[in-house]
Amino acid sequence: MIEENRRVLLGMSGGTDSSVAAMRLLEAGYEVTGITFRFYELNDSTEYLEDARSLAERLGIRHITYDARDVFRKQIIEYFVQEYMEGRTPVPCTLCNNYLKWPLLTKVADEMGVFYIATGHYVQKAKLEDTYYITYAADPDKDQSFFLWGLKQDILRRILLPMGNITKVEARVWAAERGFQKVATKKDSIGVCFCPMDYRSFLKEWLVRNGQLRSENVSHWSENVSCWSEMVRRGRFVDEKGDFIGWHEGYPFYTIGQRRGLGIHLNRPVFVKEIYPEKNEVVLSSLSALEKTEMQLKDWNLVNPQKILGYNDVIVKIRYRKQENHCTVTVTPDNLLHVQLHEPLTAIAAGQAAAFYRDGLLLGGGIIVNAR
């Protein structure tokens, strides 16, 4: 085990948050090394690398890069595509944080003899009775605790979170007051890093490159049935009884709870209720038909089971923002987490993540297998 020291390895993306994190760590007296992971380069742009290097040089700290593009493709992008192909809704940012980014930071820090690891995440950390927990950020609009439910004690004990106790507005002011105007005015990143806008465009391009969707006339893919492979092709929208409603453009391009972009016009609002890849069918229903009162989770992690199992005041979130429901959590005989919701919740999709909170502490989470 590495002995605790004042050295910290900071993940630097080139953005405002990790840049300000570097400044705050330096001013707190830490010896900072910045590391930039090459996970995915949208449109082959490496501007983020140059920004991180330039900032590190200006701050007088060491900076290194780590090429993780191959492992990112295998663990995150291929998983992302496969989940949609199997009719589920993936959570790439959650998997990346819990199983790639933070473990890689720890690995490199170990090799360097550095004890602490840090990022620009907007979360805080607390220690209660020798157990470390992630807690909400001071800025509720930027809180990123939802993505970190899988981190275990060996990582949590070494984490520094310099952005957790300030808001994004304060972070920009912090940079501007120290003369880092470019850092202060950088735009926020939106969405998943490798498909920041609509995932469907990314998925279509991926399928073309990998031979699952032929490229001819792909710009008019919804109008030309001949461009589809056997795996992704036009299919049937049906109601809950299985009766035909209309045609869809391929089941992977729809998610549970979706209302907009269905391409059909009825005299009532309808939502995606179920997706059946084997039949290439998408079931549409009213919103009330999507209500569920329980779900089961796999691949779960509980920071401290004694603080969550059986309690009636646990909060569960299945979305990053603006959603939380009370629930009771138990473990099933087949080692799944059973989540009994106290109020019905709509648009629960297999493949999504669920995160649990109680008394302001992030207590764990898992991946949704099913809901009813």
Side-chain angles (χ1 to χ4, degrees):
M1 294 293 294
I2 298 173
E3 292 187 6
E4 186 171 341
N5 52 48
R6 297 291 291 179
R7 302 175 65 195
V8 55
L9 182 65
L10 168 69
M12 294 182 67
S13 67
T16 298
D17 303 330
S18 59
S19 299
V20 174
M23 301 175 204
R24 288 174 64 83
L25 287 168
L26 281 173
E27 292 190 18
Y30 289 94
E31 179 187 333
V32 181
T33 297
I35 182 170
T36 302
F37 292 112
R38 301 183 68 182
F39 287 137
Y40 183 85
E41 290 164 356
L42 189 64
N43 300 321
D44 296 321
S45 173
T46 57
E47 181 181 358
Y48 73 101
L49 274 177
E50 298 308 315
D51 286 348
R53 286 173 181 155
S54 176
L55 177 69
E57 182 178 358
R58 187 172 170 186
L59 292 175
I61 65 174
R62 181 185 177 194
H63 178 265
I64 59 177
T65 60
Y66 188 107
D67 194 340
R69 286 174 292 180
D70 285 345
V71 68
F72 185 84
R73 174 189 169 100
K74 292 174 183 176
Q75 290 190 17
I76 306 301
I77 298 180
E78 291 183 5
Y79 143 82
F80 177 86
V81 173
Q82 188 63 30
E83 286 291 277
Y84 279 117
M85 297 305 293
E86 294 184 7
R88 296 189 288 266
T89 303
V91 283
C93 296
T94 295
L95 262 66
C96 182
N97 273 291
N98 292 319
Y99 303 118
L100 186 58
K101 183 181 295 182
W102 285 98
L104 268 182
L105 268 174
T106 306
K107 173 181 177 293
V108 177
D110 286 346
E111 294 169 353
M112 297 173 60
V114 173
F115 180 79
Y116 288 110
I117 50 178
T119 65
H121 278 87
Y122 285 87
V123 291
Q124 300 188 79
K125 186 174 81 169
K127 182 181 181 183
L128 281 75
E129 301 173 349
D130 295 324
T131 301
Y132 293 94
Y133 300 88
I134 293 294
T135 66
Y136 290 120
D139 188 342
D141 290 329
K142 296 298 293 183
D143 177 76
Q144 295 169 300
S145 59
F146 177 81
F147 300 111
L148 304 182
W149 53 260
L151 298 184
K152 301 184 185 300
Q153 289 298 301
D154 60 334
I155 291 180
L156 288 175
R157 64 188 292 266
R158 298 171 64 177
I159 285 178
L160 295 178
L161 299 163
M163 305 302 289
N165 63 349
I166 64 173
T167 67
K168 184 59 177 273
V169 172
E170 290 170 336
R172 294 190 183 280
V173 171
W174 183 284
E177 288 179 343
R178 286 155 180 78
F180 293 88
Q181 195 61 34
K182 183 176 180 180
V183 170
T185 56
K186 277 212 164 191
K187 292 183 179 180
D188 287 343
S189 57
I190 300 175
V192 178
C193 63
F194 54 88
C195 55
M197 300 305 288
D198 186 359
Y199 83 89
R200 295 163 185 84
S201 298
F202 176 87
L203 190 57
K204 283 181 280 183
E205 292 175 5
W206 178 278
L207 294 173
V208 168
R209 290 197 305 270
N210 289 274
Q212 292 170 294
L213 177 63
R214 293 195 297 275
S215 60
E216 61 266 25
N217 297 320
V218 72
S219 61
H220 303 289
W221 58 280
S222 64
E223 302 170 5
N224 193 326
V225 178
S226 67
C227 75
W228 296 102
S229 71
E230 288 302 310
M231 181 169 286
V232 182
R233 63 191 187 282
R234 190 175 75 154
R236 288 161 35 99
F237 278 129
V238 299
D239 62 19
E240 293 175 273
K241 297 179 181 179
D243 294 334
F244 176 78
I245 295 178
W247 294 104
H248 67 67
E249 299 168 329
Y251 73 88
F253 304 113
Y254 302 89
T255 56
I256 302 299
Q258 180 179 339
R259 177 184 177 183
R260 297 181 179 178
L262 298 178
I264 59 173
H265 303 283
L266 303 175
N267 59 0
R268 65 190 189 280
V270 290
F271 302 79
V272 174
K273 181 184 180 183
E274 303 285 351
I275 298 170
Y276 294 109
E278 66 279 3
K279 296 189 293 184
N280 194 24
E281 281 189 352
V282 176
V283 180
L284 303 180
S285 71
S286 65
L287 182 62
S288 61
L290 271 67
E291 291 183 345
K292 309 290 184 181
T293 57
E294 55 185 306
M295 55 187 171
Q296 291 186 315
L297 312 183
K298 65 175 183 177
D299 301 334
W300 49 273
N301 173 59
L302 297 183
V303 178
N304 185 348
Q306 294 180 348
K307 283 190 174 291
I308 180 173
L309 296 178
Y311 285 92
N312 292 322
D313 57 348
V314 175
I315 290 173
V316 61
K317 298 179 69 172
I318 64 168
R319 298 179 183 89
Y320 167 38
R321 293 179 182 272
K322 310 300 183 186
Q323 176 271 320
E324 54 184 44
N325 288 65
H326 283 90
C327 70
T328 303
V329 183
T330 55
V331 181
T332 69
D334 52 352
N335 203 38
L336 297 175
L337 282 189
H338 179 266
V339 182
Q340 184 67 51
L341 297 166
H342 296 180
E343 297 178 355
L345 183 60
T346 59
I348 302 176
Q352 284 180 309
F356 302 109
Y357 300 80
R358 185 166 172 258
D359 297 330
L361 305 176
L362 175 65
L363 294 179
I367 302 298
I368 299 170
V369 178
N370 56 59
R372 57 176 183 258

